[in-house]
């Protein structure tokens, strides 16, 4: 019994334990299911929040787009221009180093030549000495650059004009310094050019060497006989290089990282080392074009002043520079400012990505500037506004006068065709039978009668009172002879009355005094 009871107890405990485990498993399963449901609800809530956020951002973007039609969230956060890549950054740093290297006799910079792709791409740049592959060094020498500038800028361009030309190179292979040719041929301020390279450094010297070696048609525009000879070549080239250095952020007041992180629309173009050389040449040509345009503008203004009559009086004193059409060195600040604006805004601001695209833009800009100056010249050939108003007023007055004269002639012609009043007393003219219509007078007779009538009217102004009295007497005779128009009774006419009527038939108020009849004598008993 005890064993059976123990077995039963054990079995009961085992069953109870199994039930408890089953309940725990069931509870765990229910808990995991609840957790899974919670995770699903959280995921749905997260997706709903994401959709709501996307909708809110989209609505905000559309709202800003409605306020600013060309602006969206993407445009506000997107870079307008690209940053320079590694190749462009390497080129810019090279230009920056050359700009900040001061020119001085004996200066020599070198680096090993390792025949890398980057080094091969710049072997033709004007600042290197030749023989790089043979010597294994890339050398920048001030003496080499100044000799090349002297030979190609001050000697060779004039050799055809003067025959046998001495190069004036000394035993050390250096050009004469100081010498007048640095001023009168190359356009420096001093006989020693080294002082003029203070702002542009070796970069400005190298750019001048490139111009005289590869861009001689542009350089000749600055020589005697060129359309920009008023500008000195040397000083102009240095100023253009400084202008490009400002656009490329190469100046000393610009931090190196700031220059490399700046956004420009033309950085991709400067991956090509030839870009800076092309910009220098185009900018120099633009400056020459500005000189030509300024001269044409001055000529147009002078024509305008002449048409306005400001220079017609030879007695008026004239200032020496007032009427001059020539461009002088005093106009250099204006020329430089205009060129800088064109290069910055029109040329580089167009965002060329290649050198060929840069040259294409420059060609289109030149045509546009040419059309603008031609339009100014065309407007200058027209009379000034005050002269146009005077001419228009004179033409209007002349037209009105002619119209009035024509109207007056027509009035006179119509007046001459009207027959003078006869009050029923004038008898028909000779050749006209009673009851016939009077014949139309010819144009000459009408004009003659109108002239006589006008003369008689002018002469009879003093006899108005006598004429009125005669008209009254004629009216009285008419009533006596023919009676009143309203009176239908017959009139008895005897021989005496017929005589009076016959004499009165010759009466007319417009006849001369010799034909007038003394009515008092005729009516007397």
């Amino acid at each position: 019994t005890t064993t059976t009871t123990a077995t039963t107890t054990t079995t009961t405990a085992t069953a109870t334990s199994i039930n408890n485990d089953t309940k725990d498993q069931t509870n765990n399963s229910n808990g995991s299911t609840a957790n899974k449901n919670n995770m699903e609800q959280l995921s749905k809530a997260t997706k709903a929040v994401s959709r709501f956020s996307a909708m809110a951002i989209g609505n905000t973007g559309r709202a800003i787009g409605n306020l600013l039609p060309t602006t969206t969230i993407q445009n506000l956060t997107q870079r307008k221009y690209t940053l320079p890549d590694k190749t462009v950054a390497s080129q810019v740093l090279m230009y920056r180093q050359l700009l900040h290297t001061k020119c001085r006799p004996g200066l020599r910079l070198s680096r090993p030549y390792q025949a890398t792709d980057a080094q091969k791409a710049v072997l033709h740049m004007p600042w290197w000495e030749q023989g790089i592959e043979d010597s294994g060094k890339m050398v920048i020498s001030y003496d080499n650059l100044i000799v090349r500038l002297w030979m190609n800028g001050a000697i060779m361009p004039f050799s055809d004009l003067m025959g046998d030309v001495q190069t004036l190179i000394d035993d050390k292979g250096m050009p004469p310094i100081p010498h007048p040719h640095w001023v009168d041929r190359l356009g420096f301020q001093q006989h020693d050019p080294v002082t003029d390279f203070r702002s542009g450094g070796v970069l400005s010297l190298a750019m001048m060497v490139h111009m005289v070696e590869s861009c001689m048609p542009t350089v000749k525009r600055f020589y005697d006989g060129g359309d920009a000879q008023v500008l000195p070549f040397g000083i102009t080239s240095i100023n253009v290089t400084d202008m490009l250095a400002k656009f490329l952020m190469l100046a000393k007041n610009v931090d190196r990282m700031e220059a490399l992180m700046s956004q420009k629309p033309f950085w991709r173009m400067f991956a090509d080392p030839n870009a800076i050389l092309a910009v220098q040449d185009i900018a120099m040509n633009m400056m020459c074009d500005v000189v030509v345009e300024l001269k044409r503008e001055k000529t147009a203004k002078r024509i305008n002043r002449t048409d306005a009559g400001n220079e017609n009086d030879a007695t008026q004193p004239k200032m020496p520079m007032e009427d001059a059409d020539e461009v002088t060195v005093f106009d250099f600040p204006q020329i430089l400012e205009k060129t800088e604006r064109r290069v910055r805004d029109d040329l580089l601001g167009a965002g060329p990505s290649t050198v060929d695209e840069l040259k294409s833009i420059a060609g289109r800009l030149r045509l546009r500037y040419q059309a603008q100056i031609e339009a100014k010249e065309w407007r200058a050939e027209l009379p000034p506004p005050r002269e146009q108003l005077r001419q228009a007023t004179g033409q209007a007055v002349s037209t009105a006068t002619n119209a009035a004269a024509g109207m007056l002639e027509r009035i006179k012609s119509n007046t001459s065709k009207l027959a003078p009043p006869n009050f029923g007393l004038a008898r028909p003219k000779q050749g006209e039978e009673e009851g016939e219509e009077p014949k139309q007078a010819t144009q000459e007779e009408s004009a003659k009668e109108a002239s006589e009538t006008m003369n008689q009217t002018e002469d009879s102004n003093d006899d108005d009172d006598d004429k009125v009295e005669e008209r009254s007497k004629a009216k009285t005779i008419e009533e006596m002879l023919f009676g009143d128009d309203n009176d239908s009774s017959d009139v008895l006419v005897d021989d005496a009355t017929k005589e009076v009527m016959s004499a009165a038939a010759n009466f007319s108020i417009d006849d001369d005094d010799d034909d007038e009849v003394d009515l008092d004598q005729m009516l007397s008993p």
Side-chain angles (χ1 to χ4, degrees):
T1 302
T2 302
T3 303
T4 302
T5 302
T7 303
T8 303
T9 303
T10 303
T11 303
T12 303
T14 302
T16 302
S17 176
I18 292 172
N19 292 333
N20 291 335
D21 292 340
T22 303
K23 291 180 180 180
D24 293 339
Q25 291 177 0
T26 302
N27 292 334
N28 292 334
S29 176
N30 294 335
S32 62
T33 302
N35 292 335
K36 184 177 181 180
N37 293 334
N38 292 335
M39 292 299 293
E40 290 179 355
Q41 293 178 0
L42 181 61
S43 177
K44 291 180 180 179
T46 303
K47 292 180 179 179
V49 171
S50 299
R51 288 195 299 269
F52 178 78
S53 300
M55 293 175 59
I57 293 175
N59 293 334
T60 304
R62 283 190 292 271
I64 296 176
N66 293 333
L67 295 177
L68 302 174
T70 60
T71 304
T72 61
I73 292 294
Q74 184 178 5
N75 290 335
L76 290 175
T77 58
Q78 186 180 5
R79 294 182 184 273
K80 186 176 182 182
Y81 301 127
T82 58
L83 292 175
D85 57 13
K86 293 182 179 180
T87 304
V88 174
S90 176
Q91 298 292 342
V92 171
L93 290 179
M94 183 66 184
Y95 304 150
R96 185 181 179 89
Q97 181 181 1
L98 293 175
L99 180 72
H100 298 163
T101 301
K102 183 179 179 181
C103 289
R104 65 180 185 274
L107 174 67
R108 187 178 179 86
L109 305 174
S110 64
R111 64 173 59 177
Y113 176 66
Q114 300 174 353
T116 61
D117 293 338
Q119 289 180 341
K120 290 180 179 179
V122 296
L123 285 179
H124 65 283
M125 299 303 286
W127 42 77
W128 303 118
E129 282 189 1
Q130 305 203 355
I132 295 177
E133 296 179 350
D134 297 336
S135 64
K137 291 183 179 180
M138 305 178 71
V139 180
I140 299 176
S141 171
Y142 172 81
D143 296 342
N144 174 264
L145 291 174
I146 205 70
V147 170
R148 290 161 59 188
L149 177 62
W150 172 264
M151 291 298 299
N152 294 282
I155 302 300
M156 298 305 297
F158 302 91
S159 60
D160 296 336
L161 300 179
M162 303 178 62
D164 186 13
V165 178
Q166 298 295 328
T167 61
L168 304 178
I169 299 294
D170 59 12
D171 297 337
K172 297 181 180 180
M174 294 297 296
I177 298 177
H179 196 278
H181 285 350
W182 295 107
V183 176
D184 54 28
R185 292 188 178 181
L186 287 171
F188 288 98
Q189 293 179 337
Q190 305 292 333
H191 292 174
D192 185 356
V194 69
T195 58
D196 290 334
F197 293 116
R198 290 188 299 269
S199 60
V202 176
L203 180 63
S204 60
L205 173 58
M207 299 306 291
M208 288 187 65
V209 172
H210 165 71
M211 293 297 298
V212 298
E213 288 182 348
S214 304
C215 305
M216 185 51 64
T218 303
V219 176
K220 287 185 176 180
R221 300 183 69 177
F222 295 90
Y223 287 169
D224 291 340
D227 52 8
Q229 63 177 355
V230 66
L231 299 180
F233 167 71
I235 301 302
T236 303
S237 180
I238 294 174
N239 278 274
V240 170
T241 304
D242 291 342
M243 176 182 65
L244 298 181
K246 180 170 59 176
F247 296 157
L248 299 179
M249 304 186 70
L250 307 179
K252 293 182 179 180
N253 58 352
V254 179
D255 184 76
R256 171 180 173 179
M257 293 305 299
E258 181 182 355
L260 296 180
M261 294 300 294
S262 63
Q263 300 180 25
K264 297 292 183 180
F266 49 77
W267 278 134
R268 288 179 297 177
M269 177 184 65
F270 280 90
D272 185 355
N274 297 314
I276 192 169
L277 305 179
V279 174
Q280 177 82 15
D281 182 27
I282 292 174
M284 294 285 284
N285 268 305
M286 278 189 168
M287 184 166 286
C288 295
D289 293 340
V290 170
V291 173
V292 176
E293 293 174 12
L294 184 58
K295 181 178 180 180
R296 294 171 66 176
E297 286 180 3
K298 287 189 173 185
T299 303
K301 290 180 180 179
R302 180 185 58 79
I303 294 175
N304 236 340
R305 291 196 303 267
T306 303
D307 292 340
N310 293 338
E311 298 180 358
N312 291 337
D313 189 1
T315 60
Q316 294 181 356
K318 298 180 180 180
M319 299 298 294
M321 297 296 295
E322 180 181 358
D323 300 326
D325 298 337
E326 296 296 331
V327 180
T328 64
V329 292
F330 298 101
D331 298 315
F332 184 76
Q334 179 183 357
I335 297 170
L336 183 62
E337 180 183 1
K338 196 170 185 178
T339 305
E340 181 176 345
R341 185 169 59 252
R342 290 184 176 183
V343 174
R344 180 188 64 241
D345 301 336
D346 299 340
L347 184 64
L348 297 180
S353 57
T354 62
V355 175
D356 292 337
E357 186 176 352
L358 175 75
K359 295 179 179 179
S360 177
I361 294 173
R364 293 195 300 268
L365 290 175
R366 189 172 189 181
L367 294 177
R368 189 180 77 181
Y369 301 146
Q370 182 73 17
Q372 291 175 354
I373 190 61
E374 289 177 356
K376 290 182 180 180
E377 291 177 337
W378 178 79
R379 288 193 297 267
E381 293 176 358
L382 297 176
R386 184 176 297 179
E387 181 67 18
Q388 293 180 11
L389 179 60
R390 187 187 67 80
Q391 293 180 359
T393 304
Q395 185 176 3
V397 172
S398 176
T399 302
T401 304
N402 294 335
M407 185 178 295
L408 182 60
E409 289 294 334
R410 289 194 296 270
I411 293 175
K412 288 181 179 180
S413 177
N414 293 335
T415 305
S416 63
K417 295 180 180 180
L418 298 177
N422 54 17
F423 299 100
L425 298 178
R427 59 185 179 182
K429 296 181 180 179
Q430 186 178 1
E432 295 181 356
E433 297 181 359
E434 186 176 357
E436 292 182 353
E437 293 291 336
K439 296 181 179 179
Q440 295 290 340
T442 62
Q443 185 175 0
E444 296 179 356
E445 293 175 352
S446 299
K448 183 176 181 180
E449 290 178 1
S451 178
E452 293 176 355
T453 302
M454 295 177 63
N455 294 333
Q456 291 174 4
T457 302
E458 293 176 358
D459 296 338
S460 62
N461 288 334
D462 298 335
D463 301 334
D464 287 344
D465 296 337
D466 297 339
K467 294 251 181 177
V468 170
E469 185 177 357
E470 291 176 357
R471 290 192 182 95
S472 300
K473 291 181 180 181
K475 184 66 175 177
T476 303
I477 295 173
E478 183 179 1
E479 291 178 355
M480 290 175 59
L481 296 178
F482 302 102
D484 192 1
D485 292 340
N486 297 328
D487 188 5
S488 60
S489 60
D490 296 333
V491 179
L492 299 177
V493 182
D494 53 4
D495 295 338
T497 304
K498 290 181 179 180
E499 183 179 357
V500 173
M501 292 176 60
S502 178
N506 297 324
F507 171 76
S508 177
I509 60 174
D510 294 331
D511 291 344
D512 296 335
D513 295 340
D514 296 339
D515 296 334
E516 292 181 356
V517 180
D518 190 355
L519 298 181
D520 295 335
Q521 182 178 0
M522 292 177 60
L523 296 177
S524 61

